[in-house]
Amino acid sequence: MTAFLRVLAVDDEPPALDELAYLLRADHRVARLHTAGDATEALRVLRDNDIDVVFLDIRMPGLDGMELARILHRFARPPAIVFVTAYDDGAVDAFDLGVTDYVRKPVRAERLAESLRRVVNSRVVPSHPAALARAEDDPTIPVELAGTTRMLPRSAVRWVEAQGDYARLHTADASHLVRVSLATLADRWADAGFVRIHRSFLVQLRLIAELRLANTGYVVVIDGTELPVSRRHTRELKDKLVRAAKQDWNR
């Protein structure tokens, strides 16, 4: 296969940057590799070169990786972004920025190969406005699965359960613990149809199969699972279900 990706690797720690650069150069898809030791140097590289993907450390002095990613996100033709970090506390912000992948250090060759495959797939997605709109409407969030960070589409999440400072995302066939509060997700996902039904539960409104009165109060049913509805959220939930039903009738 012909090499074609133009890559920029950014890390303020020389050993980590050297290792990442070595692994990237060894991949047949990488045609050209640039490196930078901080965000300022990275911006100079981006100014002078066409870059397809930036492999970016998050914790750097000065302008950190998350701040640089926000700048890149505003580019007219932004490069794909892959975070390469030893920490998982940037996962939610990465999700908001629509990053292509989130790779944990130490980086393994096979994991980096998977990340490059995702970059290639993201680069060949049709640029028709409808396709771009679908991508923006269904962002992904990094989750851990068998020791590997995967990008989970928000549309796959059925309901969310609070677990302390974390949240557990429930899909049709699995669940994933992420380091973000339920309150944060409730705020960020409100426009996507997620509604708070309890201090410990956030659900996708369109997936509610039933709302019924049980012995302990109201419950909703999603995928056969009963979830409690607190008294303070009951009236608002009923109103939203009625409005959603009316919208369906008027289509």
Side-chain angles (χ1 to χ4, degrees), residues 5 7-11 17 20 24 30 33-34 36 51 53-57 80-84 101 103 107 111-112 115-116 119:
L5 286 176
V7 180
L8 170 61
V10 187
D11 199 311
L17 182 58
L20 179 59
L24 287 168
V30 176
L33 177 67
H34 302 268
I51 299 296
V53 53
V54 180
F55 284 80
L56 181 59
D57 186 26
I81 297 173
V82 175
F83 280 131
V84 182
D101 206 354
V103 179
V107 182
R111 181 66 181 88
L112 194 65
S115 187
L116 285 164
V119 170

Side-chain angles (χ1 to χ4, degrees), residues 9 18 41 48 53 62 83 94-95 98 133-134 179 188 199 216 227 248:
D18 290 345
E41 186 180 355
D48 299 333
V53 53
F83 280 131
F95 149 72
R134 285 195 296 272
R179 185 178 290 183
R188 295 183 180 184
R199 66 181 181 181
T216 57
L227 303 173
D248 287 340

Side-chain angles (χ1 to χ4, degrees), residues 19-135:
E19 177 65 15
L20 179 59
Y22 171 79
L23 293 173
L24 287 168
R25 287 192 181 98
D27 193 283
H28 62 271
R29 288 160 291 199
V30 176
R32 186 181 308 162
L33 177 67
H34 302 268
T35 60
D38 57 36
T40 301
E41 186 180 355
L43 287 171
R44 285 197 293 267
V45 173
L46 289 157
R47 178 195 63 195
D48 299 333
N49 301 271
D50 290 328
I51 299 296
D52 297 308
V53 53
V54 180
F55 284 80
L56 181 59
D57 186 26
I58 293 180
R59 296 194 180 182
M60 298 187 295
L63 190 70
D64 67 21
M66 198 64 68
E67 292 166 327
L68 177 57
R70 292 191 179 97
I71 293 173
L72 301 185
H73 193 61
R74 295 195 294 268
F75 279 23
R77 295 182 62 186
I81 297 173
V82 175
F83 280 131
V84 182
T85 177
Y87 309 94
D88 62 2
D89 54 0
V92 174
D93 288 327
F95 149 72
D96 281 343
L97 288 167
V99 302
T100 302
D101 206 354
Y102 193 95
V103 179
R104 293 288 298 276
K105 295 179 179 178
V107 182
R108 296 175 287 110
E110 58 272 22
R111 181 66 181 88
L112 194 65
E114 168 66 13
S115 187
L116 285 164
R117 183 191 66 77
R118 294 181 187 182
V119 170
V120 171
N121 289 343
S122 73
R123 296 286 90 182
V124 299
V125 169
S127 58
H128 188 280
L132 295 177
R134 285 195 296 272

